[in-house]
Amino acid sequence: QVQLVESGGGLVQPGESLRLSCAGSGFTFSRSTMSWYRQTPGKERELVAIISSGGDSTNYADSVKGRFTISRVNAKNTVYLQMNSLKPEDTAVYYCKADAIFLSSLTRGYYWGQGTQVTVSS
């Protein structure tokens, strides 16, 4: 079964940094595109960052470009989101998403983590 276990969320002050982690299992992680989304009350879930399977290609929402960095360590089946210079408007529930590849069965599917709360407040 697919699992996406997120960690690293919490309460920080504006200008501080936070690193989120998402550990995946139950699929071929090293061949799967991974991404981070976020959602605040009253807003649609939005794409924050996405990274290709090998980590060689990344894309970011304009609102976080230059401040956030997505990365992955396939040997650990983990994707990260390093968040620097955090702003109050970054407050949201952050979700890890996998475009999961299953090489054994030659199938794929989209899966979401449970989400982790990030609150930026003084």
Side-chain angles (χ1 to χ4, degrees), residues 7-115:
S7 62
L11 173 64
V12 296
Q13 295 184 351
E16 294 184 341
S17 298
L18 205 61
R19 188 176 77 160
L20 306 182
S21 299
C22 174
S25 61
F27 62 100
T28 309
F29 185 91
S30 63
R31 302 295 179 90
S32 302
T33 298
M34 304 294 295
S35 57
W36 287 96
Y37 286 71
R38 68 185 182 187
Q39 188 169 28
T40 57
K43 288 189 174 183
E44 304 232 343
R45 190 171 298 185
E46 65 172 344
L47 176 66
V48 176
I50 187 167
I51 187 167
S52 61
S53 60
D56 52 301
S57 180
T58 59
N59 282 286
Y60 301 89
D62 288 341
S63 59
V64 307
K65 194 170 296 184
R67 299 187 297 119
F68 290 11
T69 302
I70 188 171
S71 62
R72 66 194 296 161
V73 179
N74 285 342
K76 295 182 178 181
N77 285 355
T78 302
V79 63
Y80 304 93
L81 185 67
Q82 178 67 46
M83 304 183 292
N84 297 328
S85 302
L86 282 163
K87 305 174 181 179
E89 48 263 47
D90 294 319
T91 296
V93 178
Y94 284 72
Y95 297 90
C96 177
K97 179 190 176 184
D99 179 3
I101 303 298
F102 305 88
L103 287 181
S104 297
S105 60
L106 298 177
T107 58
R108 71 188 294 179
Y110 295 101
Y111 295 87
W112 295 89
Q114 293 179 321

